[in-house]
Amino acid sequence: MSRRRHSDEGDAGSQPHKRRRTSEPIEIEDRLESLICRVGEKSTSSLESNLEGLAGVLEADLPNYKGKILRILCAVARLLPEKLTVYTTLVGLLNARNYNFGGEFVEAMIRQLKETLKSNLYSEALYLVRFLNDLVNCHVIAAPSMVAMFENFVSVTQEEDIPQVRSDWYVYAVLSSLPWVGKELYEKKDVEMDRLFNQIEGYLKYRQKTHVPMLQVWTAEKPHPQEEYLDCLWAQVQKLKKDRWQERHILRPYIAFDSVLCEALQHNLPPFTPPAHSDDAVYPMPHVVFRMFDYTDAPEGPVMPGSHSVERFVIEENLHCIIKSHWRERKTCAAQLLSYPGKNKIPLNYHIVEVIFGELFQLPSPPHIDVMYTALLIELCKLQPGSLPQVLAQATEMMYMRLDTMNTICIDRLINWFSHHLSNFQFRWSWDDWADCLTQDIEKPKPKFVKEVLEKCMRLSYHQRIVDIVPPSFSALIPANPVCSYKYEEETECPLPGLAMATTVSNAIKNRASNEEILIVLKDVPNPNQDDDDDEGDGFNPLKIEVFLQTLLHLAAKSFSHSFSALAKFHEVLKNLTDSDEGKLHILRVLYEFWRNHPQMISVLVDKLIRTQIVDCAAVANWIFSPEMAHDFTRFYVWEILHSTIRKMNKHVQKIQKELDEAKEKLEKQQNKKVEKQIFLTAETLLFKPHIREHKDDMEKNSEDEEGQLEEQIERLQEKVESAQSEQKNLFLVIFQRFIMLLTEHLVRCETSGVDINTTWYKNCIERLQQIFLMHHVIIQQYMGTLENLLFTAELDHHILAVYQQFCALQL
Amino acid sequence: MSIKLNALFSDSYVDISQYRDQHFKGNRYDQEKLLKQSCTLYVGNLSFYTTEEQVHELFSKSGDVKRIIIGLDKVKKTACGFCFVEYYTRADAEHALRFINGTRLDDRIIRTDWDAGFKEGRQFGRGKSGGQVRDEYRQDYDPARGGYGKLVQKT
């Protein structure tokens, strides 16, 4: 890969001869960056000799390139946490050779830590804290000063009126560094450390954990409890402490250099006060630790470290970091994961699969786009064809077995992953192993899962393929053949009202009628809802919509493109027919009736109808919750449509907001320019430059005109933003309202007939409600006040209110 | 704040390739400029039987698809094994290059690349027989792409 620097900080726009003079240092800087970044990678020499060599090179370059070296080392500390101990050793060696450099590095790190905390970059801040801690092991930082920093961190728990997530982070920063440095800190300052532990224990005992159920992938405690992240880490640290801080997994190159490093002088960390809480601080959300394997699952070979062992924590942390560094390049990512140092002592494939699914199923959202994980798993299978596919199959089997207690959102993601994965492997799977689902009610999680997987597999291939790949016993779960249902198809005994009209419309369209001509033809369609007062016949006419849309869709049924063209061509007619809210709802009903066997087509057409403003988002929401859709209410495609609709609404608001912000910026620039111009047009200039005096009036008028136009534009955009936000708020209100109605109905019905509320339908519905909160939490947080006042009041059934309260607890 | 470390976080799947459209109206610089801001991908090595629906399903995994144009044989006006996929944002197209390029659709490894943008006429194959150029000269038998290459068929 060639890496040509087109513009560099000092280089932009410099003359050719200057470039020649400065090219040498830039080449050296590139080389330094490359040397530092690549240390620790596969090499013919040992890591120790590479570090020794690099330390020598850097020491020699310090006089000329100190600033650059400092910046690179600070960057790797922040961005390459999986190589933490390699770089702390390097810094240790440099400090031993050059005490001042060590001090400057520590200062730079502290500055960087402050900046990351102020900029809400909490995961990077965490890596910096860990790095500083490991520098204690390398004799760069004195242990007592590190303990003092920890004391300041833990004292955040004493702050009043702060969100829990703030103190959570500072406690986490302390605990998560201990696997690396616990031994050293305890040896030097056991009394202080014990005191810290007591404080932390007290804090953990009393902190709120309302948010946990909402973030768990499985609701069952067996076989693996889904623990809250701080609880799990606390258990791991306590076990480590009990084991007297013996930790054998972390690679510690500095041990080989102990004799050299011991001689080094240490620096004291300056007293560090955590930056005060501010309203625009966004702390990381809590999470639940995902576990799907334990030592019983890996049949032979090395044993998997226990769930409360600190090794487990370190391995998972490192694997997450590798994915974070390399997710954009799946081949590199897979290779890096598989070459994890210390892989021979652990069942690496199992850890990798667990970490990947942990990310994919993370609630509210995975750290990276879903499809990345599919691509990564495929690469891993390619690199380890003899072992990884088996682990993956085992994992899939396990997840199938536990579907009953898996969160619906996670099941969605599993369906998407599994079907996409299969499509890369000729859909080969031992379906017979899952024959147990055939005897269950089709709404139960297992048969439902298989049905949805087959539907998705069909979308990636075609109907006959699915028929061919499953055993005949699975026929009830095979998706419907995605053909349309044209109601005006044939002459029957009792012809449908509108049949004749449909034929007329069909012929008109085939003869290239215009929108006006079609509207004229449609005027003759009788209105079954006709009020006698409605002479004009312009009111909502369901039959008109049916006749037109069924016919149009039928003529355009061949492909997506045909249908899109048809909708575009007759946009005017459709707009006319859907003038009212009832019209909008009916067009969706007709669409569903026509394409009910082809959910994919329904999805893309609903998308087009929204984008071309034939229906609005609220209409789609109302349609989904309408009685006609109750039958499909638990089907995956319905929720894909709803969330896609909400996302479109959100993007729309964002877009206009951006236009408004840009216009405001432009006005500000304009006004600044105006002030500059006025300064230019001083009396002196006016006196001595008559031509400017003449043009002054023109210039002023032009700039006033421009300003006026901008101000008008800003006013218009402001209105547009307000109207869009109002529509957005309304959409969420509609959705929540409908959920509350549906769920309340169910709860009341169950209570009056003495039936258990926890039916399959109920679990699905309440988790779909949760999903709305989780998938769109940023937007919804803006409207919390309204939601609490209007909908999620104390009168609400506590089952429903609990969902709202758990959501609020996410950013407590 | 510290530097970004170009050395490390390469994103090579997203780079523009060496391919340049010989029929492009404009110079190399213009074409490259368009490629670097494009939201449209060329997709190749499709089966002749792969439908717009299948393409839509797969490529929607990296973001909302704005439009798909199936490549056609210039003579027969039937699918000839390539298409264009246009996204609303470049970021979504980039994800497709990172995670969908080089994976399978209809059991075939498909290839994606930046395209300067669809223009009427570009949906047709440029091979002499009406299909894609690559199907004129290839020697192998590919049942999903009309069997033998056209040259082989003629002999």
Side-chain angles (χ1 to χ4, degrees), chain A residues 112 329-330 424 561 611, chain B residues 2 10 12 52 98 101 104:
Chain A
Q112 203 181 202
E329 294 198 329
R330 63 198 203 235
N424 275 271
S561 286
R611 288 188 193 271
Chain B
S2 312
S10 84
S12 56
E52 184 187 351
R98 293 186 189 110
N101 185 17
R104 289 183 191 269

Side-chain angles (χ1 to χ4, degrees), chain A residues 400-467:
Chain A
Y400 169 80
M401 299 295 287
R402 298 176 202 172
L403 282 170
D404 289 327
T405 55
M406 194 186 224
N407 187 307
T408 304
I409 307 172
C410 300
I411 298 182
D412 287 349
R413 295 185 199 161
L414 182 59
I415 291 167
N416 279 334
W417 167 72
F418 189 49
S419 53
H420 189 187
H421 181 85
L422 285 178
S423 76
N424 275 271
F425 296 96
Q426 299 101 41
F427 296 108
R428 273 181 280 121
W429 183 251
S430 46
W431 299 99
D432 276 316
D433 288 353
W434 288 355
D436 65 320
C437 76
L438 298 171
T439 52
Q440 293 183 13
D441 176 273
I442 209 167
E443 281 294 310
K444 289 271 176 217
K446 281 183 186 167
K448 196 169 190 34
F449 169 75
V450 174
K451 192 160 183 279
E452 297 281 5
V453 165
L454 293 177
E455 194 175 308
K456 287 277 169 161
C457 287
M458 181 181 72
R459 290 199 197 186
L460 288 167
S461 56
Y462 48 95
H463 188 255
Q464 187 57 45
R465 189 79 196 276
I466 305 305
V467 172

Side-chain angles (χ1 to χ4, degrees), chain A residues 33 37 80 112 115 325 327-331 372 420 424 459-461 465 560-561 600 604 611, chain B residues 1-2 6-13 52-54 56-57 61 88 98-99 101 104 107:
Chain A
E33 204 179 286
C37 291
L80 283 178
Q112 203 181 202
E115 271 176 58
S325 297
W327 65 271
R328 289 175 193 84
E329 294 198 329
R330 63 198 203 235
K331 286 189 168 57
M372 184 280 281
H420 189 187
N424 275 271
R459 290 199 197 186
L460 288 167
S461 56
R465 189 79 196 276
F560 287 179
S561 286
Q600 192 195 11
V604 304
R611 288 188 193 271
Chain B
M1 191 79 101
S2 312
N6 300 320
L8 262 151
F9 300 116
S10 84
D11 197 2
S12 56
Y13 286 69
E52 184 187 351
E53 286 74 353
Q54 286 170 280
H56 193 280
E57 177 70 12
K61 291 184 186 293
Y88 290 97
R98 293 186 189 110
F99 309 122
N101 185 17
R104 289 183 191 269
D107 299 313

